[in-house]
Each structure stands twice: as C-alpha cells, then as structure tokens.
Amino acid sequence: MADSPSILIIGAGELGTAVLEALSKHPKRNNGKIAILLRQSTISTQDPEKKKQNEYLQSLGASFEAGDLANDSAAQLAQVFSRYHTVISCSGFGLPAGTQIKLSQAVLEAGTPRYLPWQWGIDYDAVGAGSAQDLFDEQLQVRSLLRAQQKTDWVIVSTGLFMSFLFLPAFGVVDLKERKLRALGSWDAKLSLTTARDIGRMAAEVAYDPRDVSHQVVYIAGDTVTYSQVAELVQRRFGGEWTRELWDAEFLKTKLAEKPDDVMLKYTNVWAVGRGVAWDMEKTLNGQRGIELQGLESYLREMPDLE
C-alpha cells in the first residue's frame, strides 16, 4: 500500500491543531509526512507554554517548516509548498488584507497537487461581493483564482459558524454572563454550526479519503438550527431567566454605520442578511458519508454550569 500524500498545515492555532489531531489518527492514513508551517520565532521559542504546544504537535508526528505568511513573498512560500502534495490553510484571522490571495498564488506557483484554502466558514458565493464584511470579497477572489485553473485540485470546506463563536458576547447571539439570547435577522432564520474539532475531522476526511471530491465546494455541519431553537436549547441547558432580543438587518446596519470599523458588527450584519449561512444536513458531506458530528445540544451539555 502506497504512503499517504505529504501534507503541510498552515498554522497551529485551534483549527490547525484540530486538523493535525484528526490527520494523525485517520484510519486511511498510511505513513505520509505531516508538517506545520510556523514562524521561525515560534519554532525556536523559549516560552514555556509555546514550547509545550510545540512538543505536543511533534508528539502527533508533525515536523515544522519555517515561514511567515505576512512577510514572505508568494515565491518564498511556493518554495516550501512545492515539497508537499497537499496544503491545508488553517491561518486567517488577524492577517493583513491580501494574504489569502498571496497564499493561493503561492500554491499555484508551486504546482501543489491539492489545496484546502482558508475558507472554513460560510458560503461566500451565496453571500456575494460587497457584503458588510469586506474580508469576504477577498475570499471570493481566492475562489476565482482557483476556478480559473485546472492543475491544482482544490476543495473548499464550508463549515458554517464555528460552534464556539456562537457564545462570544461580541457576536451577540448568546451572552452567558448577561443571560441574553438574540436572533440575527429573525427568530426563524437558520444558521449552520460546526465545532473546530469536527472541522478538523472532515478536513482529514477530504485529505485522506477524497473519493470524488475535487475542484469543488463541499458543505459540513454538526447542526443547522434556527435562532429560536438556539434560545430554547440554551435555556433548557442552563435554566433561570433569560432576556430575548431581536437584532434585525436594519438595526444592525444602523449600528455598523455608527461604528464602521467594528469587525464583529460586520460579521453580525452578514448573518442577519442570512445568505449563505445555513444548509440542510442532508446536503453535508458528513451526512452523505454517515459521519456523525457534534450538534449544539451535545456541545451545550459539555459546557460548564453558569455561576
């Protein structure tokens, strides 16, 4: 049996680590090198916490490649990428505008056979250009770059909202401390949710067992729920009194006009419009392959009780 393809993971945050964990124990893996692209300062760090994290990554069989997404040129990154069959990008938050386009250009320049870009999230095709979140326009440009060529196979994994994001007070849907529950757009509007761990599992599935998945967007989700269902599940899990508020599209548009640089408000505006943020579970790759991912009710059970 041939070795599994060599894989380079870009970044080792929550998602990169989840992808590595899933790759390392995937049943279809047969040897095959796994490396992680990190800044040289991270690789050679003396910080005890970062050293501990690096040791954990190495314990899962990963080696390290040095690279700087923000400062290296596409040509420099391409030199590294050319050593690998599959590149999985798990780094995007906080990077300068244009970084995802540069990454994609580097992948194409390297002739990388397979690429899973940083597109873990909503369906940017459905969202369309000119949305409240200007970063999404760059994601559409990445898609155009990839679709304009045939040499590099690419798979975009649309995940919906990261499950943990639902509970960020700044996002607004569930504020545990203030005991507030909000709908973005309407209470009947739907949103798809997936945990970082399960995104890692499905990335590994696409990498090691692609079958006919090629040059396309696929969808995954641990759950697709309405805001009303979110509120009911949260209240049932934690009990007590909760306040419900509706943040409709007009309200959020007004708030964004007052604070045009508020990144989180840009996100909430997109979810309030409601395009490309939810899909039926039957449409998902995990649903089609009979892979059970964690739903919201199960996720809530694992959360600590409120004080």
Side-chain angles (χ1 to χ4, degrees):
M1 186 179 174
D3 282 359
S4 297
S6 57
I7 294 176
L8 178 68
I9 302 169
I10 300 176
E14 182 186 22
L15 181 58
T17 301
V19 169
L20 174 61
E21 288 169 341
L23 288 170
S24 69
K25 58 191 178 192
H26 194 278
K28 289 278 177 82
R29 184 187 180 205
N30 183 47
N31 299 314
K33 182 178 182 180
I34 303 175
I36 302 175
L37 186 81
L38 298 170
R39 287 193 300 270
Q40 183 58 56
S41 59
T42 302
I43 296 170
S44 55
T45 184
Q46 295 305 305
D47 178 86
E49 278 303 306
K50 288 183 180 176
K51 280 181 78 172
K52 188 178 176 183
Q53 172 68 357
N54 285 352
E55 287 163 7
Y56 174 66
L57 300 173
Q58 289 172 314
S59 76
L60 295 173
S63 57
F64 297 148
E65 287 271 13
D68 188 324
L69 300 185
N71 297 312
D72 287 356
S73 67
Q76 288 172 306
L77 292 168
Q79 284 187 320
V80 179
F81 296 169
S82 66
R83 298 195 281 271
Y84 295 87
H85 174 278
T86 301
V87 172
I88 304 177
S89 181
C90 297
S91 191
F93 286 124
L95 290 172
T99 303
Q100 297 308 323
I101 293 171
K102 179 173 71 173
L103 269 181
S104 299
Q105 289 168 334
V107 164
L108 299 183
E109 187 179 325
T112 303
R114 206 136 194 272
Y115 182 40
L116 276 66
W118 168 262
Q119 297 255 334
W120 324 92
I122 57 180
D123 184 345
Y124 303 112
D125 290 324
V127 173
S131 73
Q133 178 47 280
D134 41 8
L135 292 174
F136 292 171
D137 284 0
E138 184 176 338
Q139 299 292 55
L140 286 170
Q141 291 174 275
V142 167
R143 292 185 180 209
S144 295
L145 265 178
L146 297 176
R147 285 170 171 151
Q149 56 79 54
Q150 288 298 314
K151 186 178 178 184
T152 292
D153 186 11
W154 54 272
V155 179
I156 285 168
V157 182
S158 293
T159 66
L161 189 72
F162 279 49
M163 191 90 71
S164 58
F165 219 78
L166 192 67
F167 300 92
L168 288 180
F171 190 61
V173 177
V174 181
D175 188 331
L176 295 172
K177 188 177 179 184
E178 297 294 328
R179 287 185 167 265
K180 287 186 177 178
L181 300 163
R182 301 185 183 94
L184 305 180
S186 80
W187 286 103
D188 293 329
K190 292 182 177 180
L191 69 165
S192 291
L193 307 162
T194 315
T195 66
R197 175 176 166 271
D198 283 339
I199 295 170
R201 286 173 63 202
M202 293 311 297
E205 184 74 6
V206 169
Y208 284 147
D209 191 13
R211 301 182 206 177
D212 59 351
V213 173
S214 174
H215 292 273
Q216 72 185 94
V217 179
V218 297
Y219 300 85
I220 67 170
D223 225 336
T224 294
V225 290
T226 65
Y227 290 99
S228 182
Q229 288 172 316
V230 171
E232 287 163 14
L233 288 170
V234 170
Q235 285 185 284
R236 190 186 311 161
R237 165 64 182 88
F238 296 111
E241 295 295 315
W242 292 78
T243 303
R244 292 195 188 197
E245 297 176 354
L246 172 63
W247 284 359
D248 64 20
E250 278 305 310
F251 170 76
L252 285 167
K253 195 175 176 182
T254 302
K255 283 186 76 171
L256 185 60
E258 294 166 1
K259 297 179 179 179
D261 297 323
D262 190 313
V263 174
M264 204 59 80
L265 268 177
K266 292 180 181 182
Y267 282 113
T268 54
N269 268 268
V270 171
W271 261 263
V273 170
R275 285 196 303 269
V277 300
W279 33 88
D280 294 336
M281 296 299 289
E282 298 78 35
K283 184 182 180 180
T284 63
L285 185 67
N286 50 290
Q288 291 162 0
R289 293 194 180 187
I291 300 171
E292 189 174 344
L293 304 186
Q294 186 171 32
L296 178 57
E297 191 169 9
S298 167
Y299 186 86
L300 282 163
R301 278 199 301 270
E302 292 181 1
M303 292 178 69
D305 292 339
L306 298 183
E307 293 178 359

